[in-house]
Every structure is written in C-alpha cells, then in structure tokens.
Amino acid sequence: STSCQAPTQQCCRITQERVCQQVPVRVPVPVNITMPGRRIPKRKCKTVEVESPVCRNYPETVEEEKTVDKCEMEKKEQCVTFEMPSFSIVKQQRSEQVDLRIRNARSQS
C-alpha cells in the first residue's frame, strides 16, 4: 500500500516483510557424569575346582610289645644284734623344806 502527503508529494510505500531471527533455545541432553561418592564393591565370582581330601577313621587293632617291671612281695628274715638294757630300782630317803606364803583372807560379814 502507498500513501502520499502534500506539498512535497513524498510517497511512502509500506510493505510487510518476514524477518527471521535465531533465538537460542536450551535443549536438555542426557550426559553420564561420574559423581564422587562411596565405593561399592562388585563381586566377581569364578567357579574353581578344589581337591579336598576326605579322611575317615577305621578302628584297627595293633599289637605292641612293652617291657613292664613286675614286683612280687617276698619275706626275708633279717637278724640284728641288740642289747637290752637292764634297769634296777634304788630307793633313797630324802627330805626337803619349802616356804609357803599364804595371804590372810578377811571375811566380810
């Protein structure tokens, strides 16, 4: 569309144009990030063949020779010379004086 204005008769033309512009847009992108934290042990199990001996007890009679001292009681006569002392009684007449001190006891009545 055009519009003209007097006195200079300047004509202006109005046109519509489509203008495009780049607008930054945030788009979420999944990313794997290692976060520091506690260690979790992982088990790696392998099947291993192990030989284990099987022991069994069987009763067995074994003969052994042993030397043993055997003591037997026996009586043996043994003589010893011995002198029996002889005693005799001798009587003697003796006399002796003894001082006895006695406290006098007073009776209270």
Side-chain angles (χ1 to χ4, degrees), residues 44-107:
K44 279 190 172 181
C45 298
K46 289 193 277 183
T47 304
V48 179
E49 290 185 19
V50 177
E51 287 186 23
S52 58
V54 177
C55 298
R56 293 187 180 138
N57 291 329
Y58 296 104
E60 186 177 337
T61 305
V62 178
E63 291 185 13
E64 292 182 353
E65 288 186 17
K66 290 185 178 179
T67 305
V68 180
D69 293 335
K70 188 175 181 182
C71 298
E72 291 183 8
M73 299 295 289
E74 68 177 36
K75 290 182 181 180
K76 185 178 179 183
E77 193 173 315
Q78 189 174 10
C79 298
V80 178
T81 54
F82 176 74
E83 284 188 27
M84 184 75 172
S86 62
F87 297 98
S88 60
I89 299 173
V90 176
K91 291 187 178 184
Q92 288 183 348
Q93 192 77 24
R94 291 187 177 184
S95 65
E96 193 173 333
Q97 285 188 359
V98 178
D99 287 338
L100 292 175
R101 294 185 184 179
I102 301 172
R103 289 186 178 173
N104 290 336
R106 292 182 187 173
S107 63

Side-chain angles (χ1 to χ4, degrees), residues 1-58:
S1 75
T2 19
S3 65
C4 294
Q5 292 176 355
T8 54
Q9 289 289 317
Q10 183 182 10
C11 290
C12 295
R13 195 181 201 183
I14 298 174
T15 57
Q16 287 188 348
E17 291 182 13
R18 187 172 179 185
V19 178
C20 294
Q21 161 182 348
Q22 288 186 348
V23 178
V25 178
R26 290 189 178 183
V27 178
V29 177
V31 177
N32 289 334
I33 299 174
T34 303
M35 298 291 289
R38 65 183 180 130
R39 291 183 177 187
I40 300 172
K42 290 185 179 179
R43 284 190 177 178
K44 279 190 172 181
C45 298
K46 289 193 277 183
T47 304
V48 179
E49 290 185 19
V50 177
E51 287 186 23
S52 58
V54 177
C55 298
R56 293 187 180 138
N57 291 329
Y58 296 104

